[in-house]
Amino acid sequence: MTDDRLHRDNVPVGIDAPVMPTAVGIVHLGIGAFHRAHQAVYTERAAIATGDTSWGILGVTQRSATVRDQLRPQGGVYAVLTAGEQESSVELIGSVVDVAYPAEETERVLAALAAPSTHVVTLTITEKGYARTPDGALDLDAVAGDLEVLRAGVQAGAQGGSPVRPATSAIGLLVRGLAARAASGAPITVLTCDNMVDNGRVLERLVRQAVDAGLPGAEGDALRGFLDGHVTFPCSMVDRIVPATTPEQRDHVAQALGARDEGLVVGEPFAQWVIEDRFAGPRPAWEAAGATLTKDVAPFEQAKLRLLNGTHSLVAYSGWLAGHTTIAAAMADPAIAERARQYLFEDALPTLTPPEGLDLHQYGEQILARFANPHTGHTTAQVAMDGTQKIPYRWGGVLADALAAGREPRGVAFALAAWAEFVRRRTLSGEGVDDPRAEELEAVVSAFEVPGGSDGLGDVEGLAGAEEDVRALLGLQGLLPETTPETFLDAVAEEIASVR
C-alpha cells in the first residue's frame, strides 16, 4: 500500500474507471454518505449504461466542509464498498464533479442552480433539514436569514434574485436558487430523496410558504408563476443501509486500491429507488440502473416507511436499551427479534396496500435478513437519532390505521415505550438525545422527580416514575395522532416493564 491519494486522474490498475462527466446536470443538497452510496451510484451506472455523461453532480454539503475536503482533492472520485454477508466488492464512482460548502461558496451554488445545463436538484438533508414546526409548517425563524436576502435582492432588482450572502438553511438556499433560475425561466425538477411521507408535496409546500413569507403579495408573483409553470417536485422512495465507514474498512479498501480514499462509503448489497415520473425537463436514465419510475410512489413509500423504517427504529431503541451497539447484534437478541416480527407482520403489514409486483411478506423477511447482516455495522445510536421527526411517519400511521380497524398494535406500544425509555435514560444519565426537539424532551423528563435513586432504574418506584415520563413524552404536540385513545397510552405504559 502507498500513501498516494485516490484521484480522478490516478485510477488504480485493475478496477473499472469511473465516469468522467462532461457537465453538471444535477445539484445535490446534502451530500452525505447516503447520497454517495445511493443516488450518485444510480447516476454513475445510468451514464455507463447509456453513454450520456452530461449528468455530473455538484454536491452541496450543509453542516460542514468535511465532505468537500474529502472529495475535492480527489477530483470528486471515491469508492463504494458493498459489504455482503458472504462477499464484498469495491466500485469507483465519478459522477460527483465537485462539492461546494455554502458557508463559503453560496455564490457558486446559486450559479449552478441557475445554469441552463442543470436540470435536476436532488436533496438528502434528513427530516430535520426541512425546517418544519411540529404542525408541519415552515419554521420561519430557521429560514429568516435567507428570506431576508431573497427579499432584498428582489427589491433591488438584483440579477438572479438575491445578493450573495452565505445561505443559512437548505430550504432557504433552494428558494434563493429557484429565484435565480426564474430570471431565465428554464424548467427544473426538484427531487427530494428523504424519508418523509409524500415527500415531494411536503417540499413544494415548504418552498411556497417560504416564497409567500419572503416575498408577500405582488413581490412574489413572478417567482410563484415560475414555480407554477416550470418547476416540479416529484415524490421518491430510497432504500439502502449505509453505515458509518470504519477505519478498518478504510484501510482494507486502501490496500485493495493501492491508494487512500478519504471519501469512502459503505453500503449493503440491497438498493432501491422508486421515483414519481413527473419531471419538468430532461433527466438521467436512472431506470437503466435499476430505478423504478412510476405514476404513484405512495404504496412503495408506505411499505418502506412502515415496514423497514418502523422496524429499524424499534430495533434501535430496544437494542440500545439492551446494551447492543449494532442493529445486527440487536437482531440476534431473541426477545427483540420477536418484537420486531410482531410489529412488522401483525401491526404494520395489515395496514398496507401492496405495491404492484411487491410481495409484502417476502419484503418483510428480506428486511429482517438485511438488519441481521453484521457487515453493515449500522449502530443503534445512529438509527435512534431524530426520533420526534420519525415517529409520526414510521409508527403514527400504523397506529391510526390499526386502531381504526379495531386492533390494538402491541408492537407499536412496545416501540413507543422503548423510545420513551431511551429518551429518559439518556436524559437522566446526562448523555442527552440527538433530536431537533431535544430541549423539549429533556424538559419533560426533568419535570418529573424520579424516585428510587439517581437514575430511577430497577425498582417499583422507579418504574412508576418511568410510566409518568412516558405519558408526558407521548403528549408532545405532533408526535401521535390526535385521536389516540387513553387506552392505548395505558398499553404503552404497560410495556415499560418489557423494555426495561
Side-chain angles (χ1 to χ4, degrees), residues 320-321 417-430 432-433 441 445-446 448-451 453-459 461-470 473 496 500:
W320 186 90
L321 292 172
W419 168 77
E421 182 66 4
F422 168 83
V423 170
R424 180 172 174 273
R425 287 198 197 178
R426 297 277 294 202
T427 300
L428 295 175
S429 69
V433 289
L441 294 173
V445 174
S446 300
F448 291 90
E449 181 181 352
V450 182
S454 61
D455 61 5
L457 303 178
D459 55 31
E461 289 184 335
L463 182 60
E467 291 181 1
E468 288 183 330
D469 281 343
V470 168
L473 288 167
I496 285 295
R500 302 179 80 205

Side-chain angles (χ1 to χ4, degrees), residues 298-478:
F300 295 92
E301 176 185 71
Q302 288 287 63
K304 194 248 182 171
L305 281 168
R306 296 189 180 189
L307 298 183
L308 185 140
N309 296 130
T311 306
H312 215 193
S313 290
L314 180 152
V315 173
Y317 293 120
S318 58
W320 186 90
L321 292 172
H324 301 301
T325 302
T326 67
I327 294 294
M331 282 300 298
D333 186 322
I336 294 174
E338 180 181 358
R339 288 296 199 155
R341 283 186 168 277
Q342 178 188 38
Y343 165 80
L344 201 161
F345 293 111
E346 297 178 21
D347 292 357
L349 193 148
T351 69
L352 296 168
T353 300
E356 184 177 354
L358 183 62
D359 183 323
L360 291 181
H361 284 274
Q362 184 181 48
Y363 180 59
E365 292 291 352
Q366 187 180 42
I367 287 168
L368 297 176
R370 291 167 61 195
F371 289 169
N373 178 4
H375 297 289
T376 57
H378 227 172
T379 67
T380 52
Q382 180 185 9
V383 180
M385 292 169 56
D386 305 333
T388 59
Q389 300 291 295
K390 297 172 180 176
I391 286 171
Y393 305 102
R394 299 186 179 191
W395 300 335
V398 173
L399 172 60
D401 289 349
L403 291 174
R407 293 182 289 106
E408 184 177 75
R410 294 298 301 200
V412 175
F414 173 82
L416 286 166
W419 168 77
E421 182 66 4
F422 168 83
V423 170
R424 180 172 174 273
R425 287 198 197 178
R426 297 277 294 202
T427 300
L428 295 175
S429 69
E431 294 175 273
V433 289
D434 192 339
D435 191 288
R437 299 176 70 179
E439 291 185 7
E440 197 176 351
L441 294 173
E442 291 165 8
V444 169
V445 174
S446 300
F448 291 90
E449 181 181 352
V450 182
S454 61
D455 61 5
L457 303 178
D459 55 31
V460 175
E461 289 184 335
L463 182 60
E467 291 181 1
E468 288 183 330
D469 281 343
V470 168
R471 291 180 185 277
L473 288 167
L474 296 183
L476 289 173
Q477 182 183 4

Side-chain angles (χ1 to χ4, degrees), residues 70-157:
Q70 288 173 338
L71 294 190
R72 184 170 288 175
Q74 299 181 180
V77 170
Y78 62 94
V80 176
L81 172 62
T82 298
E85 288 198 67
Q86 304 300 325
E87 58 184 22
S88 63
S89 62
V90 177
E91 177 181 8
L92 291 185
I93 303 299
S95 55
V96 175
V97 174
D98 197 5
V99 178
Y101 179 38
E104 301 171 1
E105 302 170 271
T106 289
E107 183 173 8
R108 182 185 181 192
V109 176
L110 294 177
L113 289 168
S117 60
T118 299
H119 300 288
V120 180
V121 182
T122 52
L123 299 89
T124 50
I125 57 176
T126 76
E127 292 94 330
K128 61 185 173 185
Y130 288 81
R132 291 176 294 171
T133 59
D135 64 358
L138 180 67
D139 183 348
L140 295 177
D141 290 337
V143 299
D146 287 311
L147 297 189
E148 179 184 343
V149 174
L150 173 70
R151 188 170 190 182
V154 170
Q155 289 179 336

